[in-house]
Amino acid sequence: MRHQLFIDGRFVDAESGETLPTLNPHDNTPIVNVAMAGKADVDKAVQAAQRAFTGWSSMAAMERGRILLRLADLIDSHAEELAWLESLDTGHPIRDSRGLDVPRTAANFRYFGGMADKLQGDQIPVEAGFLNYTLREPIGVVGQIVPWNFPLMFTSWKLGPALAAGNCVVLKPAEITPLTSLRIAELLSQAGLPDGVVNVLPGLGSVAGQCIAEHPEIGKIAFTGSTATGQRIVQASAGNLKKVQLELGGKGANIVFSDANLEAAVNGAAWAIFHNQGQACIAGSRLVLHESIADEFLERFVALAKSVRLGDPLDENTEMGPLTSALHRDRVLSYVDVAREQGGQILTGGKAPGGALSQGCYVEPTIVKVKSWRDRVAQEEVFGPFLTVITFKTDEEALQIANGTEYGLGAGLWTSSLQRAHKFAREIKSGMVWINSYKRVNPASPFGGVGKSGYGREMGFEAMREYTQVKSVWVNVDAVVPPHFKR
């Protein structure tokens, strides 16, 4: 189990010798002490990346792609190990780590392995006598900060397009869930990645993250996490005006209209909020129900929520595991008090389970019916298995509720009306909209938000553009050499 920093192709201790235990959220027992990077380590990693950049960026794009394709194959061959490691470190149920996280990680690297030699510029029609074309060039050394909720998958979201485009990377996984990111670094070396191209530095956000955001030799920073931290990163990036890409918080509206297929909508709403214990920026955390079907929907939905099997994430039968840390569990539970103070009705859950799970970071599936869509629990990102229920009468009211937050990451709607579906897809202020589904992702589909959910896009060809800069080249094809320059 790798627990050191990965710099210039080697695992090394932090310069300071500092470590932090990563804990098993099932029972809060320590797994391993992980090295914590500081400024000196960030500087070493940036220097290693700079040395590697010339060779990596000038390598044939097809060969860069082959390395990513070999990595995808290695992920497939180590799938069970990676799934176990992710579940142990994060609390993801093993059935999800095995069936979703690991396959999606391999698929993402495979997609960008194939995209590496598809990046091309344009020829632009300009005035006669000139040829104007554009080159898309890698930025150089980029900094990437991966969150704790999907560390394995987000490592691929960050590394895939950056490497395919020819950049070198200094990546910081979250200090509480670094184990699969470090394992991916090791597999990258086995796949043939040159030393220094990727450097992985677990560390505190306030230390290593801050150093990466401020570093004058890093040309771009890509961050996934909270809106508040994203705002601090923008401020820290101003020193060298580095490019910034942010995927931040969300408060997704999941709207169910009176003509929806209720069985599909109930199951879809459960997936939207309870998958990964609700620890997802795109979670459908606001359930917006037409008043004519609200009672029937909630009767079915509350019964489903009560049936969800909580337990050890390494147990094959577990449907919902623990939250990833005790600190976060306590934060989620604090919103139960906020809901009650504002007159909300707790329909189910609202507490940590007792018995065998009491030592872990568990929270029961929680459903709260709020008095107003403006209440705090319907506005602030809780980031847990915590669903707020709001009812509406008209389509106009549903749209007002959907757009009534500072966030704009993902939203969903359930209806049999094609006209309504397309109208809401246009008018919802969100980077992604799902119709009669929720939380669908694919390596080819751009992922990102608007408003306080950030800017820039992960995945798809949009992500390749995010990791390049455009150079415009002008050629005077009718150039006449002045006589005094002729030989």
Side-chain angles (χ1 to χ4, degrees):
M1 191 179 294
R2 293 299 188 179
H3 59 277
Q4 296 170 291
L5 313 180
F6 185 76
I7 300 176
D8 205 10
R10 295 184 302 119
F11 285 98
V12 296
D13 292 331
E15 287 285 326
S16 67
E18 292 184 14
T19 63
L20 184 76
T22 181
L23 305 179
N24 180 348
H26 169 60
D27 55 12
N28 283 304
T29 56
I31 303 171
V32 66
N33 289 330
V34 178
M36 289 289 105
K39 183 179 185 304
D41 305 297
V42 173
D43 288 340
K44 284 171 57 179
V46 171
Q47 290 164 14
Q50 287 177 317
R51 289 192 299 270
F53 177 67
T54 300
W56 178 247
S57 60
S58 62
M59 180 184 291
M62 184 177 292
E63 183 55 34
R64 290 201 302 267
R66 286 195 184 106
I67 290 172
L68 295 180
L69 294 173
R70 286 197 292 269
L71 172 63
D73 291 341
L74 285 168
I75 290 169
D76 286 340
S77 63
H78 291 82
E80 192 61 26
E81 171 201 351
L82 287 165
W84 174 82
L85 200 59
E86 186 80 338
S87 292
L88 180 72
D89 205 19
T90 67
H92 292 196
I94 189 69
R95 60 199 288 175
D96 290 342
S97 296
R98 184 185 291 130
L100 294 172
D101 297 1
V102 173
R104 285 176 174 178
T105 299
N108 204 63
F109 281 120
R110 197 163 276 124
Y111 174 83
F112 285 107
M115 287 297 295
D117 61 353
K118 310 300 187 297
L119 191 62
Q120 61 190 37
D122 297 298
Q123 188 268 319
I124 302 166
V126 293
E127 56 265 35
F130 287 89
L131 169 66
N132 180 219
Y133 63 91
T134 60
L135 300 173
R136 282 202 167 267
E137 300 178 333
I139 292 167
V141 179
V142 300
Q144 301 180 326
I145 299 178
V146 173
W148 47 259
N149 56 327
F150 289 99
L152 176 62
M153 191 170 67
F154 281 140
T155 293
S156 73
W157 285 23
K158 292 283 190 286
L159 288 180
L163 296 176
N167 298 280
C168 293
V169 179
V170 177
L171 181 142
K172 190 196 87 66
E175 63 271 17
I176 62 173
T177 57
L179 300 182
T180 47
S181 299
L182 291 168
R183 185 66 176 116
I184 290 295
E186 189 171 29
L187 293 178
L188 270 166
S189 286
Q190 294 179 27
L193 189 77
D195 293 349
V197 174
V198 169
N199 305 271
V200 180
L201 307 182
L204 299 176
S206 59
V207 180
Q210 186 78 13
C211 291
I212 291 171
E214 293 177 344
H215 205 286
E217 302 304 322
I218 289 178
K220 170 185 172 169
I221 185 162
F223 170 78
T224 298
S226 73
T227 298
T229 303
Q231 290 169 327
R232 291 195 293 272
I233 283 175
V234 171
Q235 295 168 355
S237 71
N240 69 335
L241 297 178
K242 60 171 58 68
K243 189 175 183 178
V244 179
Q245 177 185 338
L246 302 173
E247 196 268 282
L248 306 176
K251 193 68 176 176
N254 194 15
I255 311 168
V256 184
F257 293 93
S258 58
D259 61 347
N261 178 323
L262 285 194
E263 181 179 1
V266 166
N267 289 324
W271 167 255
I273 187 59
F274 297 137
H275 168 236
N276 196 33
Q277 298 73 256
Q279 298 171 131
C281 49
I282 57 172
S285 54
R286 291 184 297 152
L287 182 61
V288 185
L289 301 175
H290 191 273
E291 61 180 14
S292 66
I293 52 92
D295 289 344
E296 181 183 356
F297 188 100
L298 288 174
E299 182 179 356
R300 297 188 189 190
F301 191 76
V302 170
L304 189 156
K306 289 179 176 178
S307 74
V308 172
R309 291 191 295 270
L310 275 69
D312 185 342
L314 298 178
D315 185 332
E316 302 280 350
N317 295 314
T318 292
E319 295 176 328
M320 203 173 89
L323 276 67
T324 302
S325 72
L327 181 67
H328 187 59
R329 173 202 60 201
D330 295 344
R331 179 185 178 276
V332 170
L333 288 173
S334 73
Y335 275 98
V336 177
D337 295 331
V338 172
R340 289 195 174 106
E341 288 168 4
Q342 295 193 306
Q345 180 185 0
I346 313 299
L347 301 183
T348 189
K351 62 184 185 299
L357 304 182
S358 61
Q359 298 302 309
C361 304
Y362 292 87
V363 173
E364 292 180 354
T366 299
I367 304 171
V368 178
K369 190 172 184 180
V370 296
K371 295 183 71 174
S372 168
W373 60 267
R374 296 181 176 88
D375 287 355
R376 278 184 60 193
V377 294
Q379 290 290 316
E380 299 177 13
E381 186 178 38
V382 180
F383 213 68
F386 187 108
L387 180 71
T388 58
V389 179
I390 308 160
T391 59
F392 69 94
K393 295 181 180 180
T394 66
D395 283 16
E396 292 73 22
E397 186 182 3
L399 187 63
Q400 180 188 29
I401 292 168
N403 290 336
T405 76
E406 298 178 314
Y407 298 106
L409 190 57
L413 57 123
W414 303 79
T415 180
S416 59
S417 167
L418 190 62
Q419 181 182 16
R420 174 190 283 136
H422 288 301
K423 173 181 169 61
F424 270 73
R426 286 193 310 270
E427 297 187 1
I428 287 176
K429 296 175 183 177
S430 178
M432 295 165 286
V433 177
W434 296 278
I435 298 169
N436 294 328
S437 60
Y438 208 96
K439 285 178 70 173
R440 300 298 304 177
V441 296
N442 185 281
S445 180
F447 183 106
V450 299
K452 287 197 173 179
S453 290
Y455 46 79
R457 292 295 181 266
E458 310 270 15
M459 299 197 291
F461 203 80
E462 293 297 327
M464 294 288 285
R465 294 190 180 99
E466 295 280 353
Y467 284 97
T468 61
Q469 48 201 359
V470 179
K471 178 184 288 181
S472 180
V473 179
W474 288 77
V475 181
N476 185 347
V477 296
D478 294 332
V480 176
V481 180
H484 57 279
F485 283 110
K486 292 182 179 179
R487 295 188 182 278

